[in-house]
Amino acid sequence: MATADDRHIVISVDGHGGAPVGGYRDYLESAYLDEFDRWAANYEVPYEDMKGEEGSRNWDSDRRLRDLEQDGVVAEVLYPNTVPPFFSTSSLASSQAAVPNAEEVRRRRAGLRAHNRWLADFCGMAKGRRAGVIQVMPHDIDAAVGDIRAAVDAGVHGGVLLPGTPPGSGLPPLYYHDYYGPLWETCIELGIPINCHSGSSGPRTGDRQEDDMFFLMDMKWWDQRTLRHLVLGGVLERYPGLKVVFTEVGADWIPRLLKSMDRYFDSTRTASGLSNEGMTYHGSHVIDRMSLRPSEYWERQCYVGASFLHPNETAKRDLVGVHKIMWGSDYPHVESSFPYSREAIRFALAGVPDDEAASMLAGNAADVYGFSLDDLRPVAARVGPGRAEVAAGVDPATLPPAAAKCPAFAGAMPGAAMTQMGDNRKLVEK
């Protein structure tokens, strides 16, 4: 019989869920119920995978636990997926758009508060195995801080989803703006991270197929922009206790970007503020206020939720930081590794030392999100992937054709059509 020592604990830091539209009603303040009833009566969910049998994976706690245990996963971090009250699409996809007026801000804030309350109850149904990500409307930063505190008091400890603030959003577009200071201070005080999820930062440019394609292709650039702003803009210098997680963005870009920022830092930071050619660098006085090189801020404060972790990225783990990488499945999205997460883990971590694999699969996530490995170990003893089989890897030729849907297996299955990284359903507004 397998023991806890024989198996890995697996925590997915990239899960998605939410209530069905009607399921949010009980979580709204009474003042919004009439508005909600009028809105819900005319609202039709635009996503096929949230209708019928498959939709319940977002809110059926027992089904979700069965699916994840079948997949070898014992705990997860929960990002939004369904449509909360008064939103037209998933709030993750809607966060980039401008809110037209103060009345709409008020309504959407009520909708996100309802989601946070639902999330607290949903996490409580699997105590110690779910960490929910809090959503806020940052248009009133003091109100947003209050909503964060209320959610944490209710038991939601997965941190805050960093809202998108691209040009046109109606918010200060630069995260190093002093406006966001109370947000960083509150997260530090409460010991929770800021979460940057792919698709929640960049602006949409239209509804043509080309717009959809470039939106997906540009997502990683917007996430890189966020890291540049937080580091070079001095946020991580001013708030050294802030933890930042970049999720579902891959990990291969991180060493290149850190190297590029380090070069800029080294060439700009001089005693005189002048380059070797005697020309003043733009930004030199800003860089002079940084006490660390950019890669050192990454080392001190940043993490990556490497959904679809691939052997090419595992090979760069020392450059990213083994203690910075966290595995994710993206359940229940169509491109998730479910129900082939065991195979995805074996494919990504073949030959990786056991202690390093354990850090990427669970240890790092436990440190960032507050999971107790001791509490999770008995569940892992039942369902976790074997340590020996993970180290041994998997022959891609033995993978079922359906596994090709997940980018974790990119390049491993010749002739199979691979899915574009990112949830097309979630990101394409109807």
Side-chain angles (χ1 to χ4, degrees):
M1 181 177 180
T3 68
D5 291 337
D6 298 327
R7 298 186 183 274
H8 277 293
I9 302 171
V10 179
I11 300 172
S12 169
V13 299
D14 186 22
H16 294 266
V21 170
Y24 283 120
R25 191 180 193 279
D26 291 343
Y27 293 92
L28 275 168
E29 294 104 325
S30 59
Y32 293 93
L33 293 181
D34 289 344
E35 284 185 87
F36 174 80
D37 290 340
R38 290 191 294 271
W39 172 80
N42 298 306
Y43 186 77
E44 182 178 347
V45 175
Y47 308 127
E48 291 302 318
D49 62 346
M50 289 186 194
K51 302 174 183 178
E53 178 64 19
E54 296 309 308
S56 69
R57 294 183 299 176
N58 289 282
W59 56 77
D60 184 329
S61 180
D62 291 339
R63 178 182 184 180
R64 192 172 187 110
L65 286 175
R66 287 195 303 271
D67 281 354
L68 293 177
E69 289 188 5
Q70 171 193 330
D71 227 19
V73 178
V74 302
E76 61 175 339
V77 177
L78 274 170
Y79 286 90
N81 197 39
T82 63
V83 181
F86 311 122
F87 280 74
S88 60
T89 60
S90 163
S91 50
L92 183 65
S94 301
S95 64
Q96 319 96 331
V99 184
N101 52 56
E103 179 65 14
E104 188 63 18
V105 170
R106 176 189 67 82
R107 283 159 40 94
R108 291 193 188 186
R109 181 183 171 221
L112 293 187
R113 288 201 305 267
H115 174 82
N116 293 340
R117 294 186 190 106
W118 174 87
L119 188 59
D121 281 355
F122 192 69
C123 291
M125 294 177 188
K127 196 168 179 63
R129 299 180 64 180
R130 292 176 181 148
V133 176
I134 301 163
Q135 297 186 84
V136 297
M137 294 290 289
H139 300 71
D140 180 334
I141 204 69
D142 292 333
V145 165
D147 291 344
I148 293 169
R149 292 187 183 279
V152 171
D153 286 345
V156 184
H157 61 87
V160 176
L161 178 61
L162 188 63
T165 62
S169 66
L171 290 162
L174 310 173
Y175 291 120
Y176 51 82
H177 196 288
D178 291 343
Y179 177 84
Y180 298 104
L183 188 64
W184 316 139
E185 291 168 355
T186 302
C187 289
I188 294 169
E189 176 191 340
L190 298 176
I192 57 175
I194 285 288
N195 298 284
C196 310
H197 191 284
S198 179
S200 65
S201 297
R204 294 200 58 81
T205 55
D207 56 8
R208 293 165 55 99
Q209 290 182 339
E210 292 89 346
D211 296 316
D212 296 337
M213 177 182 70
F214 285 113
F215 179 65
L216 291 168
M217 293 179 68
D218 290 345
M219 285 192 301
K220 188 174 290 188
W221 183 89
W222 284 97
D223 293 311
Q224 293 175 11
R225 176 180 185 263
T226 296
L227 180 57
R228 285 193 293 267
H229 282 191
L230 294 175
V231 173
L232 297 176
V235 176
L236 301 187
E237 169 70 23
R238 297 192 299 276
Y239 302 97
L242 185 66
K243 292 183 178 180
V244 184
V245 180
F246 294 84
T247 295
E248 201 179 310
V249 295
D252 60 329
W253 57 274
I254 295 168
R256 293 195 302 271
L257 182 58
L258 293 178
K259 185 175 182 179
S260 172
M261 288 196 294
D262 278 351
R263 283 178 174 171
Y264 179 78
F265 176 92
D266 293 340
S267 66
T268 303
R269 185 173 175 141
T270 67
S272 64
L274 302 178
S275 73
N276 292 335
E277 292 78 24
M279 296 177 62
T280 301
Y281 261 111
H282 292 296
S284 61
H285 300 298
V286 174
I287 298 300
D288 284 344
R289 294 197 290 266
M290 295 171 57
S291 61
L292 302 175
R293 300 177 82 218
S295 58
E296 293 173 318
Y297 289 107
W298 173 269
E299 168 66 22
R300 187 175 74 180
Q301 295 172 251
C302 300
Y303 302 82
V304 59
S307 304
F308 319 126
L309 185 63
H310 191 273
N312 290 343
E313 295 173 314
T314 307
K316 300 177 182 178
R317 64 189 183 278
D318 290 336
L319 298 175
V320 177
V322 170
H323 55 302
K324 298 295 180 180
I325 299 171
M326 301 181 289
W327 182 87
S329 74
D330 198 32
Y331 176 92
H333 289 156
V334 65
E335 77 277 18
S336 73
S337 56
F338 174 82
Y340 307 108
S341 292
R342 296 175 187 274
E343 291 83 355
I345 289 169
R346 292 169 62 190
F347 183 58
L349 298 177
V352 172
D354 186 78
D355 60 332
E356 295 185 9
S359 292
M360 291 185 280
L361 291 174
N364 301 334
D367 289 342
V368 173
Y369 293 104
F371 291 103
S372 168
L373 295 180
D374 288 338
D375 290 347
L376 296 176
R377 197 162 280 113
V379 185
R382 287 193 294 108
V383 305
R387 292 176 180 270
E389 65 177 321
V390 168
V394 64
D395 181 356
T398 66
L399 295 172
K405 72 184 180 71
C406 181
F409 301 111
M413 304 172 68
M418 300 305 298
T419 302
Q420 165 71 43
M421 183 176 291
D423 182 356
N424 297 335
R425 192 271 317 149
K426 173 180 61 183
L427 297 173
V428 178
E429 296 185 15
K430 302 296 182 180

